[in-house]
Amino acid sequence: MAEDQDSEESFSKIEGMILEKLLTMANEQTPLVSEEVLRQSLAEVSNSPQFESALDKLIRDGFVSRIGNDEFQLTSNGFEEHSRRLNEGTL
């Protein structure tokens, strides 16, 4: 049971890191981020098996948009989700 909770916390942490990176890039006037740049900038987690799943879940939940084959951007819902997680202390 504790292992499941650790795995869920790790998954949520990776989601948060992706949201944070996409928000930072958007604030730097770079709203579209290539998959390569995203993976390089999050190298500490991008090789995790959970990275792709976390990114896919953020897309399914409407927080991130995939543009073309390999570019991503934060949606307006993603900005709100980032704020919510930041306020809850879960980011």
Side-chain angles (χ1 to χ4, degrees), residues 17 27 34 54 70-71 73 89:
M17 292 172 78
N27 288 338
S34 73
D70 69 343
E71 290 188 310
Q73 76 178 56

Side-chain angles (χ1 to χ4, degrees), residues 18-68:
I18 293 170
L19 286 173
E20 183 71 30
K21 176 48 72 177
L22 291 174
L23 177 72
T24 299
M25 298 297 285
N27 288 338
E28 293 172 355
Q29 305 303 312
T30 311
L32 291 178
V33 179
S34 73
E35 184 169 0
E36 180 181 353
V37 168
L38 185 62
R39 286 182 176 280
Q40 287 174 352
S41 64
L42 296 173
E44 68 273 16
V45 295
S46 67
N47 289 327
S48 165
Q50 293 181 325
F51 182 83
E52 195 68 39
S53 296
L55 184 56
D56 287 343
K57 185 174 183 303
L58 290 170
I59 292 168
R60 278 193 319 273
D61 290 347
F63 303 137
V64 174
S65 287
R66 181 186 300 266
I67 310 299

